Amino acid sequence: MDDFPTLPTIPYQKLRQEIRSGDILLCSGDGPFSGLIQHATASVWSHVAFVLRLDVIHRIMILESVENIGVRTVTLSSYVSDYNATGRGYPGRLMIARHEDLRQENINRLSTFATGLLGYPYNREEIIRIAMRIGLGTVGIHPNGPDPAPRKEFICSEYVHLCMQSIGVHIDYDPLGFIAPADFARCQKIKPIGFIDPKEVQKEMRAPSSKTNHETLAVPA
């Protein structure tokens, strides 16, 4: 199984200053559904999303497709401090990475394309198709190429792949004909930047010595 890269865990406020629009967010969840994806793809990664900075309102937005909701946008701060309104950070590890072919002059086009898909449903059937392709691959049967890209519903990796494709940024499909979070982590052109540890962010927010830290972590996203 692919393991985590050797990277530092960077304090949230410091990493926040380095993040650019178009950066990739790779997630390693510890829930049952995450575990299924990790086991099936032989990777520690279970989810992928990407970032859009909205500096005019001091927000860093995450665009993603998630089970039971579909394509949505949430703030990065909610990932690290109040994931899905639980009062806790994301239940797992978070890593920021960057595709070397992404150009900032293409961000407006990326934003327009990505936000145009907000509200589209999650593609549950694709998870079944991926499992079938992996099962066939283990006995030496290799389906010919990827299934046609869905246009009305997406798993997380399909959504990010299609958005990146809209500006000419390429991530290879798995040889068995699907795209998964692991394929983003394995892409030679996607370079890891650093980990965010939600537990460390929570500790900083609870620290009694710094009211300022609480405010800057809780308000800017």
Side-chain angles (χ1 to χ4, degrees):
M1 175 177 281
D2 294 347
D3 206 347
F4 296 106
T6 302
L7 283 174
T9 296
I10 302 176
Y12 176 66
Q13 288 300 311
K14 180 179 180 181
L15 185 58
R16 187 182 185 279
Q17 297 173 12
E18 304 296 325
I19 292 172
R20 302 177 189 170
S21 286
D23 282 351
I24 301 294
L25 178 68
L26 279 160
C27 308
S28 178
D30 59 11
F33 187 69
S34 296
L36 288 174
I37 295 172
Q38 291 160 338
H39 178 76
T41 58
S43 170
V44 295
W45 303 111
S46 57
H47 183 65
V48 64
F50 73 98
V51 168
L52 287 178
R53 292 190 71 107
L54 298 180
D55 288 327
V56 68
I57 58 171
H58 309 293
R59 292 290 182 265
I60 296 179
M61 306 304 297
I62 301 300
L63 284 92
E64 60 181 354
S65 183
V66 294
E67 190 184 12
N68 298 327
I69 297 174
V71 180
R72 68 171 184 175
T73 183
V74 296
T75 62
L76 177 58
S77 64
S78 72
Y79 255 81
V80 299
S81 63
D82 190 23
Y83 185 72
N84 286 347
T86 59
R88 300 181 298 275
Y90 180 80
R93 300 190 73 177
L94 302 172
M95 184 179 78
I96 296 291
R98 183 171 298 152
H99 198 296
E100 63 184 32
D101 290 345
L102 189 135
R103 301 290 178 263
Q104 290 301 297
E105 59 263 29
N106 292 329
I107 294 303
N108 283 348
R109 185 150 49 97
L110 173 65
S111 304
T112 300
F113 185 89
T115 56
L117 299 176
L118 289 174
Y120 278 45
Y122 189 84
N123 188 357
R124 292 175 177 274
E125 292 181 1
E126 181 62 10
I127 297 296
I128 298 173
R129 286 196 290 269
I130 288 173
M132 291 176 62
R133 283 176 176 269
I134 291 171
L136 290 171
T138 61
V139 294
I141 301 173
H142 300 283
N144 295 322
D147 291 330
R151 297 294 171 179
K152 296 295 184 182
E153 53 187 14
F154 308 93
I155 61 171
C156 64
S157 44
E158 289 172 335
Y159 173 65
V160 178
H161 180 269
L162 195 61
C163 289
M164 293 299 168
Q165 192 178 52
S166 75
I167 56 169
V169 174
H170 182 70
I171 298 97
D172 286 334
Y173 261 59
D174 185 278
L176 293 177
F178 60 86
I179 188 84
D183 298 302
F184 288 79
R186 292 166 184 160
C187 177
Q188 294 298 307
K189 289 192 172 185
I190 293 180
K191 308 300 183 185
I193 296 171
F195 290 111
I196 306 172
D197 187 344
K199 292 181 181 178
E200 290 302 314
V201 175
Q202 290 280 310
K203 289 179 183 178
E204 290 182 45
M205 291 178 64
R206 290 194 296 265
S209 60
S210 177
K211 178 180 178 182
T212 302
N213 274 355
H214 176 84
E215 289 172 345
T216 55
L217 285 168
V219 178

